[in-house]
Amino acid sequence: MKIAIPVDEKNMEANVNVSFARAPYFLIYDTETKETIFLDNSAAASTGGAGIKAAQTIVDNKADALLTPRCGEKAAEVLKSADIKIYKTTFASVKDNIDAFIARKLSILDEIHAGFHGQVGN
Amino acid sequence: MKFMPDFMDRLVINMRIAVLSGKGGTGKTLVSVNLAAAAQTSTYIDCDVEEPNGYLFFKPEDVQEEEITVKIPKVDNKLCNGCRKCVDFCKFNALAYVKDKLIAFEELCHSCGGCIIFCPEKALTEKERIIGKIQKGTSDQVTVYTGILNTGEASGIPIIKKLLDKNKPEADKFTFIDCPPGSACIVMESIKDADYCILVAEPTLFGVHNLNMVYELVKLFTKPFGVVLNKCLDGENPAEKFCLEKGIKILSRIPFDNELGILNANAEIAVKESGKYRDIFACLLETVQKEVLHETTSNT
């Protein structure tokens, strides 16, 4: 199973980023093969619709689940269309969250926020 | 050759005057409504589409409404081959492609139409989405236009475009454009075709800061302009000081006055109720006319 996590740095010692859509990188982790891929998040600098673009990246990399502290409603809609489950991270470290996920200790993220709009401009 | 060309007469009478300010509550509506009423035969356009309130004063009759729509893409997933040219093109990330289906996020779309042009399969077509409406009515000899943006919409610019497009200058008419507050895109759209800009300012440091924003804007647009000092009290007026320092023409001084406050709070038009304000706004109207004439002659 492939899981995606927004991360601060491109290594396994990194912390989970506080934001999904605006995270600098994504980790795609394969729980069977232990393979790790770090992706640049091209959505991070978007003026608007970053969640949609970030979610598209997760979809395109064929993740089955996203582990994130928070997620906006448009990103959630894209992920839902792709049947990608969203789990809430409970630790700062990426590793701890992966372990918790494998141990089935992470719960589904049910607080989907309405996004941080208003900086979009006219 | 005639002493004064015909067009000059027409230009002077056919004026589009935009009233703007860097913040809300300075008196844009007070000034534009009372100028329109003082001019008698005129057109008043409320471009403050997020919170239009000029109609509260005019109480227009015979109101006609027109819905304003923007064009957004509609996808035929049977024709879409998943090439994603549209997704990559959209700068607003309004499109996503998931599980062989294109998803459009309508509220993020800025109606540029690029996705439709780029689609090689002709899978995208236009559909209309309502974002608000405009109302047209009459109040004595004033034609009153009101733009209304629906709650939650991102941009009122399509409504302002329609409001101003409908109001090409007609013979012997003044047009007063009551602008939205601030100095962003929506204000630029409102003043774009104006012949003259009136900046309304409050006598506070905050007022000066906001006056400076619109001052920079009208300079950027190279519009002729002047300032109306509103809520004037005895003592130092920072906005007046700013005007004197920058050499900005002060068109009028409106006092911070109980009588005016009561009239305004009761949604009454001051020039219709008070001789004092009839004089103040008639005088302002004349000053603005002279200013526009001066601009016209010095630029011709």
Side-chain angles (χ1 to χ4, degrees):
Chain A
M1 179 177 208
K2 273 188 180 182
I3 54 177
I5 310 177
V7 292
D8 287 345
E9 289 167 66
K10 284 180 163 179
N11 63 62
M12 287 304 284
E13 310 307 315
N15 282 339
V16 177
N17 193 271
V18 290
S19 154
F20 162 59
R22 304 284 178 181
Y25 315 107
F26 293 123
L27 163 65
I28 308 288
Y29 181 80
D30 191 318
T31 54
E32 277 110 56
T33 65
K34 315 271 190 255
E35 188 194 0
T36 59
I37 303 167
F38 289 95
L39 305 165
D40 289 332
N41 176 17
S42 57
S46 301
T47 8
I52 295 165
K53 198 172 181 184
Q56 180 82 63
T57 304
I58 304 307
V59 172
D60 294 348
N61 282 276
K62 306 205 166 20
D64 302 292
L66 169 70
L67 277 50
T68 179
R70 57 210 305 172
C71 183
E73 60 183 5
K74 296 196 183 69
E77 192 178 329
V78 173
L79 296 167
K80 194 181 165 202
S81 314
D83 296 323
I84 297 172
K85 293 257 185 312
I86 311 169
Y87 293 86
K88 186 169 172 58
T89 54
T90 50
F91 303 99
S93 117
V94 166
K95 267 188 192 161
D96 290 348
N97 283 298
I98 292 175
D99 291 343
F101 176 76
I102 292 168
R104 296 177 178 277
K105 283 183 180 160
L106 294 188
S107 51
I108 294 283
L109 179 78
D110 46 19
E111 284 173 40
I112 301 297
H113 68 78
F116 302 102
H117 308 132
Q119 288 91 40
V120 181
N122 296 323
Chain B
M1 195 177 132
K2 280 193 269 183
F3 173 67
M4 197 174 173
D6 288 341
F7 74 88
M8 206 169 277
D9 261 339
R10 185 171 56 83
L11 276 176
V12 172
I13 304 165
N14 247 335
M15 286 195 278
R16 289 184 146 210
I17 297 151
V19 182
L20 63 162
S21 73
K23 66 184 273 287
T26 53
K28 290 180 293 300
T29 299
L30 172 81
V31 170
S32 42
V33 164
N34 279 283
L35 279 176
Q40 293 184 341
T41 308
S42 65
T43 302
Y44 166 86
I45 306 176
D46 201 339
C47 286
D48 192 2
V49 297
E50 288 181 42
E51 53 257 311
N53 57 356
Y55 72 93
L56 296 172
F57 294 92
F58 281 117
K59 303 163 186 75
E61 291 170 351
D62 306 319
V63 176
Q64 298 158 23
E65 271 190 11
E66 184 188 344
E67 282 181 330
I68 304 299
T69 59
V70 291
K71 293 200 166 36
I72 57 164
K74 181 181 163 201
V75 62
D76 182 344
N77 275 302
K78 285 201 269 316
L79 293 175
C80 175
N81 68 357
C83 76
R84 298 192 185 204
K85 284 203 168 105
C86 57
V87 176
D88 295 338
F89 172 79
C90 183
K91 293 290 170 281
F92 301 100
N93 302 323
L95 296 166
Y97 187 78
V98 179
K99 289 205 162 177
D100 305 328
K101 263 180 81 178
L102 187 69
I103 309 172
F105 288 85
E106 299 187 349
E107 65 275 31
L108 288 185
C109 175
H110 281 52
S111 306
C112 77
C115 53
I116 296 166
I117 295 169
F118 273 84
C119 179
E121 302 299 317
K122 307 255 179 290
L124 290 168
T125 47
E126 285 179 340
K127 68 171 178 182
E128 310 241 310
R129 189 168 74 85
I130 296 166
I131 61 155
K133 61 186 174 188
I134 61 179
Q135 292 178 335
K136 180 191 178 186
T138 51
S139 171
D140 294 335
Q141 291 156 71
V142 181
T143 308
V144 179
Y145 286 88
T146 305
I148 303 163
L149 180 68
N150 289 346
T151 304
E153 288 297 338
S155 171
I157 287 179
I159 295 177
I160 292 175
K161 274 193 182 2
K162 190 80 181 198
L163 277 170
L164 297 178
D165 184 45
K166 280 202 124 186
N167 292 279
K168 294 278 179 260
E170 291 166 36
D172 66 48
K173 266 200 176 181
F174 287 99
T175 298
F176 297 96
I177 302 165
D178 191 355
C179 296
S183 55
C185 302
I186 196 161
V187 181
M188 297 188 224
E189 191 65 40
S190 307
I191 67 166
K192 189 162 67 88
D193 298 318
D195 300 304
Y196 192 81
C197 291
I198 298 176
L199 317 183
V200 187
E202 282 180 0
T204 60
L205 287 177
F206 200 39
V208 173
H209 173 265
N210 295 305
L211 171 60
N212 190 36
M213 286 164 62
V214 278
Y215 166 66
E216 304 223 327
L217 182 71
V218 292
K219 277 205 306 183
L220 198 68
F221 274 68
T222 60
K223 295 283 177 196
F225 66 97
V227 167
V228 169
L229 298 169
N230 193 18
K231 308 183 191 176
C232 288
L233 292 157
D234 291 337
E236 193 178 312
N237 184 334
E240 181 169 24
K241 206 167 145 235
F242 177 86
C243 292
L244 295 174
E245 277 166 14
K246 304 271 180 191
I248 301 167
K249 170 88 181 174
I250 295 169
L251 303 165
S252 180
R253 288 172 178 81
I254 301 171
F256 192 59
D257 171 20
N258 213 22
E259 184 196 356
L260 182 59
I262 291 167
L263 286 172
N264 218 37
N266 288 325
E268 285 178 295
I269 299 173
V271 300
K272 292 187 180 175
E273 308 297 328
S274 147
K276 178 178 162 192
Y277 287 102
R278 199 171 304 130
D279 291 347
I280 287 180
F281 283 99
C283 184
L284 172 60
L285 187 65
E286 204 185 313
T287 309
V288 170
Q289 278 190 80
K290 277 184 191 156
E291 286 289 303
V292 179
L293 176 64
H294 174 73
E295 283 298 325
T296 314
T297 48
S298 55
N299 291 334
T300 310

